[in-house]
Amino acid sequence: MSVKDVLILTGGQEEHHYVARAVRDVLEEESGTEIRVEVREVGQGGIEGWLGWISGKLGKGKAKGETLGRWIRRAGIEVLGSSGWPQLRRLVALTLEETRPEVVVFFHPAVGMALQERVQDRSEAGFQRVGVVLEAEDLPGWDGVTADLLWVADEGSAKELREKNAKVKEVVAGGWPVRPTFEPAEERKKGAGKNREPFRILYLINSRRRKAIRTVEKILQFPDVEVTAVVGKEEELKGELRKAFPESQGKLEIHGWVKNLAGMIRAHDLVVTKPGTISVREVLATGRPTILVEGGKNSEKRKGICRLITRLGGGALAESPGEIGMRVGQALQGGGVGLREWGRRARQEAVRSLGATERLASRITQMAQAATETQRVPELRLMHHGHPGKKGLRMVDLHTHTIFSDGRLTLREIVDFYGRRGFDAMAVTDHLVDRRRLLGKLANLSGLVLTVDDLPDYFRALAEEKNRAWTKYRMILFPGLEFNHDGLTAKGSAHLLGVDLHDPIDPALSLKEICGQIRGQGGLTIAAHPHHMSSAGGQDTLYLWERQDEFRPLIDAWEIGNRDDLFNPVGLKRLPLIAGSDFHKPKHLTSWKTLLWCEKDPEAMKECIRRNKDVSITLYRDHRFGGESEEREEKRTAFERKG
Ligand code: ZN
Ligand code: ZN
């Protein structure tokens, strides 16, 4: 049996790491070498804050009818100047490309969106998705996430998601995954009468020192009580507590850091702590009641966990440290009637969560083992056109986009995609803009374009892939760029392709200067979609067409075909022509392409285009993308409606 890979994507929040580690440990322990687990942080760099911010706002600023994906993009752009989403989708894509997992586990709706992008359009990535919802009560954003399985803590949340989210195959109320050491404990047995054991209270201190000392004092005033105070890193507080209660020997124990927290919780009847998602879940998993101390700035998440405690009835809230004593008093009244009731409910909850991590891990294992080998595209080699040194028919596509700008595939993926299909040459032409010129309609793209600063990385990556494309597929890869000079109107806008470039070019230059620089590097200048587009959603760019006479000597070829569009006037004017797919995602393969009759050699191909002799175009169909896609159907209907 082959080894299966599970990828766990954490999103910068403490509880993500916690659950990721717990699940990984169980997976590795139970499945031995059959499953390989990789935990990756996608919340690093600038994205961490962005993901956190998104979490806090999810669903709240969403306009009516707006999809989650659209909202994430819009909100990200408005608030953070666009850096979050493009970074996230690139990171997720590259991580998937590197790890090729059978199952991906994720904790953040935005990560779910990035994964969704990877599986749309019958792209070649095949993996199962497991979303783990760690929110206690609100489920912001999860109603818009697509997944094979959503794992939530309780039945209430599961019900809500089943109603609101039709894109998930299965919602499981499986309990909150905690570290397996936090198992439910029995009620502490106490003798009666004189032998009665005291109530043991564990106080995990997180409030100010003076308040903490006063709280300990109040609790110690109750009869039959012992207190264990855990001060954590507050070493000085240790000394202060000893000084404040010199007489309380036997009734007060003081600790710094605690190694075996699970064991310590089990040895007590009641825990007093702050509302951290993890700590509360751990206490609940041991079946011990809790008093949560609110106060200060509590995030939405913390408020959620506070409400959870009162809803379950496994403890109570103290609205400030000053209230702790009063709450303890209530619990201990009448020989601890209240405390016993809390305990009963907390244990119910604990039993429900018992083994949650193991159950989640075993579902993931099942899914990984059921995964068949990723669908392989047959080595098509439809176009094996003879010896590279001799003239032959060469299928080329000189207009494609990758994840470096707004395309879906990584550079490596796009090379494999075209290489497997036997293309003789392709150019990657990601969008380059002058930041200072970013205008209205382009704002949506911002972050999904290259800027001058990205160019060294971009050319380095292309140089590497160029070698691989030739060695593996005998395919020529031309490094290129699409210069987006967008104005406010169609007539003020131009898209210019530069093909076979080696050095950065400043996009702030004029179009004429850019043409000069492209040619100076031995590259081709190509006018992209130079005339009115018929397809819905196409933005006309007519600047070069309007100034044909000026630009004719500077442009090597004009696109007569761009994806589904065909521009008759290019033919009528007898301009040198070429056609390309303007590829952004796999289904764009079905589109206009160029056929050259020449040697399989970069210089020969460029010369063929410059002379524009032995150049023809063809409408390419792929057996995997032959059917009418939804988008295409939409466009056709829109077109028919237009008349
Ligand atoms: Zn364009
Ligand atoms: Zn383009």
Side-chain angles (χ1 to χ4, degrees):
M1 196 160 145
S2 59
V3 178
K4 306 287 184 177
D5 287 284
V6 171
L7 173 64
I8 307 182
L9 294 174
T10 60
Q13 284 158 50
E14 203 192 344
E15 58 261 45
H16 297 183
H17 298 293
Y18 176 89
V19 175
R21 279 195 300 265
V23 171
R24 181 195 58 197
D25 291 350
V26 175
L27 275 174
E28 283 180 344
E29 214 166 274
E30 313 244 304
S31 66
T33 53
E34 277 168 38
I35 301 228
R36 201 161 36 199
V37 189
E38 179 92 24
V39 178
R40 291 288 183 96
E41 168 70 286
V42 290
Q44 71 221 141
I47 316 177
E48 181 170 347
W50 181 74
L51 284 174
W53 180 87
I54 286 265
S55 278
K57 299 267 164 163
L58 268 179
K60 289 199 180 98
K62 231 165 60 167
K64 218 176 153 195
E66 189 171 36
T67 63
L68 177 69
R70 233 180 238 161
W71 182 84
I72 284 178
R73 260 160 265 196
R74 182 173 63 81
I77 288 164
E78 276 171 17
V79 178
L80 292 150
S82 84
S83 61
W85 172 249
Q87 273 189 61
L88 178 66
R89 68 194 280 278
R90 255 167 246 167
L91 221 97
V92 167
L94 291 170
T95 309
L96 285 171
E97 179 193 283
E98 201 188 310
T99 50
R100 302 217 160 266
E102 268 77 25
V103 179
V104 182
V105 182
F106 63 101
F107 306 99
H108 196 294
V111 177
M113 292 306 302
L115 290 170
Q116 170 63 4
E117 221 190 66
R118 306 301 300 162
V119 291
Q120 269 172 359
D121 308 304
R122 291 170 281 181
S123 87
E124 288 160 55
F127 51 84
Q128 300 270 299
R129 282 166 287 168
V130 179
V132 180
V133 183
L134 298 181
E135 279 79 15
E137 200 178 43
D138 298 322
L139 305 162
W142 286 101
D143 51 343
V145 168
T146 310
D148 298 284
L149 180 75
L150 277 190
W151 187 272
V152 296
D154 58 292
E155 192 49 54
S157 306
K159 199 169 159 249
E160 193 183 324
L161 277 179
R162 280 184 205 118
E163 277 162 18
K164 280 191 185 164
N165 187 332
K167 299 183 207 160
V168 171
K169 284 191 197 140
E170 195 185 350
V171 182
V172 174
W176 209 86
V178 288
R179 281 179 285 171
T181 43
F182 288 85
E183 296 172 339
E186 288 299 303
E187 189 179 5
R188 283 193 352 107
K189 291 275 180 279
K190 297 185 181 60
K194 267 192 183 172
N195 298 327
R196 200 165 81 181
E197 268 193 52
F199 294 105
R200 303 199 65 202
I201 297 173
L202 178 64
Y203 182 20
L204 305 170
I205 298 177
N206 67 299
S207 50
R208 294 234 184 86
R209 285 186 203 171
R210 214 166 345 120
K211 281 185 182 168
I213 292 172
R214 268 217 307 275
T215 304
V216 171
E217 189 184 356
K218 273 190 200 160
I219 302 176
L220 283 174
Q221 279 165 8
F222 295 109
D224 296 330
V225 159
E226 281 178 17
V227 176
T228 306
V230 177
V231 300
K233 59 186 172 195
E234 295 267 355
E235 277 295 323
E236 281 173 48
L237 181 57
K238 232 177 177 175
E240 283 177 42
L241 279 169
R242 278 210 189 94
K243 225 164 73 191
F245 306 102
E247 310 285 295
S248 305
Q249 266 161 18
K251 283 195 83 182
L252 177 64
E253 229 178 88
I254 306 163
H255 292 266
W257 285 110
V258 176
K259 269 195 196 135
N260 178 13
L261 186 62
M264 184 163 260
I265 293 173
R266 271 196 289 269
H268 288 77
D269 302 296
L270 175 64
V271 182
V272 179
T273 183
K274 66 171 178 175
T277 308
I278 295 164
S279 52
V280 172
R281 288 296 187 173
E282 287 183 338
V283 176
L284 280 173
T286 56
R288 288 290 180 252
T290 319
I291 292 176
L292 286 182
V293 193
E294 263 201 303
K297 275 186 225 145
N298 277 334
S299 67
E300 277 303 311
K301 212 163 223 166
R302 295 219 161 130
K303 282 182 191 153
I305 202 86
C306 286
R307 285 194 293 266
L308 178 72
I309 279 291
T310 41
R311 201 179 69 208
L312 294 170
L317 275 182
E319 279 177 18
S320 68
E323 261 191 43
I324 297 175
M326 192 256 285
R327 292 283 174 216
V328 173
Q330 284 175 345
L332 298 183
Q333 254 172 22
V337 185
L339 186 61
R340 269 198 295 280
E341 178 57 16
W342 285 354
R344 197 179 60 76
R345 299 218 189 181
R347 274 192 306 282
Q348 271 175 8
E349 168 68 13
V351 169
R352 211 155 53 74
S353 280
L354 176 65
T357 313
E358 288 86 345
R359 282 198 300 276
L360 174 56
S362 105
R363 276 307 297 265
I364 293 169
T365 306
Q366 280 168 18
M367 286 167 98
Q369 283 169 346
T372 46
E373 290 293 305
T374 320
Q375 257 197 338
R376 292 222 178 280
V377 180
E379 303 276 328
L380 269 178
R381 298 268 144 217
L382 280 179
M383 298 157 285
H384 202 80
H385 306 303
H387 192 275
K390 287 189 180 141
K391 280 196 175 182
L393 204 53
R394 313 294 178 193
M395 173 83 85
V396 305
D397 191 350
L398 299 185
H399 191 166
T400 72
H401 298 278
T402 72
I403 204 139
F404 270 108
S405 64
D406 58 344
R408 287 273 169 86
L409 303 188
T410 63
L411 189 49
R412 196 184 173 90
E413 284 171 332
I414 207 170
V415 164
D416 288 333
F417 192 85
Y418 277 83
R420 279 188 195 133
R421 287 169 173 82
F423 275 73
D424 297 286
M426 70 176 297
V428 168
T429 53
D430 274 310
H431 299 283
L432 175 67
V433 294
D434 176 9
R435 269 260 180 267
R436 286 163 294 171
R437 283 174 52 115
L438 270 182
L439 284 170
K441 62 185 170 190
L442 248 185
N444 276 330
L445 269 181
S446 87
L448 296 176
V449 290
L450 291 166
T451 62
V452 179
D453 303 335
D454 305 320
L455 288 181
D457 276 347
Y458 176 71
F459 280 118
R460 210 172 302 130
L462 275 162
E464 271 169 36
E465 276 304 306
K466 186 176 173 166
N467 282 329
R468 199 177 68 89
W470 183 254
T471 320
K472 187 161 183 194
Y473 302 108
R474 286 284 173 263
M475 177 173 76
I476 295 164
L477 174 64
F478 291 112
L481 287 167
E482 178 168 7
F483 294 85
N484 286 42
H485 269 222
D486 287 286
L488 291 170
T489 60
K491 286 184 180 175
S493 304
H495 287 191
L496 175 72
L497 302 178
V499 168
D500 203 19
L501 303 177
H502 310 282
D503 295 306
I505 294 174
D506 184 359
L509 296 174
S510 74
L511 282 167
K512 283 182 187 164
E513 287 168 322
I514 292 173
C515 285
Q517 295 238 349
I518 293 171
R519 284 185 164 177
Q521 292 187 26
L524 295 174
T525 50
I526 298 169
H529 39 81
H531 207 261
H532 290 293
M533 292 198 254
S534 321
S535 42
Q539 301 272 5
D540 285 350
T541 47
L542 305 174
Y543 183 89
L544 295 171
W545 188 258
E546 294 284 316
R547 285 164 188 74
Q548 230 174 94
D549 295 336
E550 273 172 64
F551 278 93
R552 213 170 168 149
L554 301 173
I555 302 277
D556 294 312
W558 302 67
E559 276 188 347
I560 192 170
N562 177 283
R563 199 175 307 157
D564 298 324
D565 268 304
L566 208 48
F567 309 110
N568 274 335
V570 172
L572 294 169
K573 293 261 180 177
R574 308 254 168 214
L575 290 166
L577 59 85
I578 195 170
S581 37
D582 207 343
F583 181 98
H584 284 75
K585 44 189 165 183
K587 67 179 173 194
H588 293 162
L589 190 68
T590 294
S591 57
W592 289 100
K593 303 281 183 290
T594 306
L595 285 167
L596 306 173
W597 177 259
C598 62
E599 293 85 5
K600 196 180 215 166
D601 166 80
E603 294 307 320
M605 286 181 172
K606 286 190 292 179
E607 197 46 34
C608 187
I609 292 167
R610 283 189 198 112
R611 291 202 335 259
N612 234 250
K613 201 169 156 270
D614 299 328
V615 176
S616 59
I617 60 167
T618 181
L619 187 52
Y620 181 89
R621 292 276 183 258
D622 185 286
H623 72 295
R624 291 184 71 221
F625 299 90
E628 192 169 49
S629 67
E630 272 168 56
E631 189 188 70
R632 189 174 299 276
E633 196 178 76
E634 250 167 54
K635 275 184 189 164
R636 185 170 50 78
T637 358
F639 188 71
E640 281 164 2
R641 238 182 276 125
K642 254 194 289 181

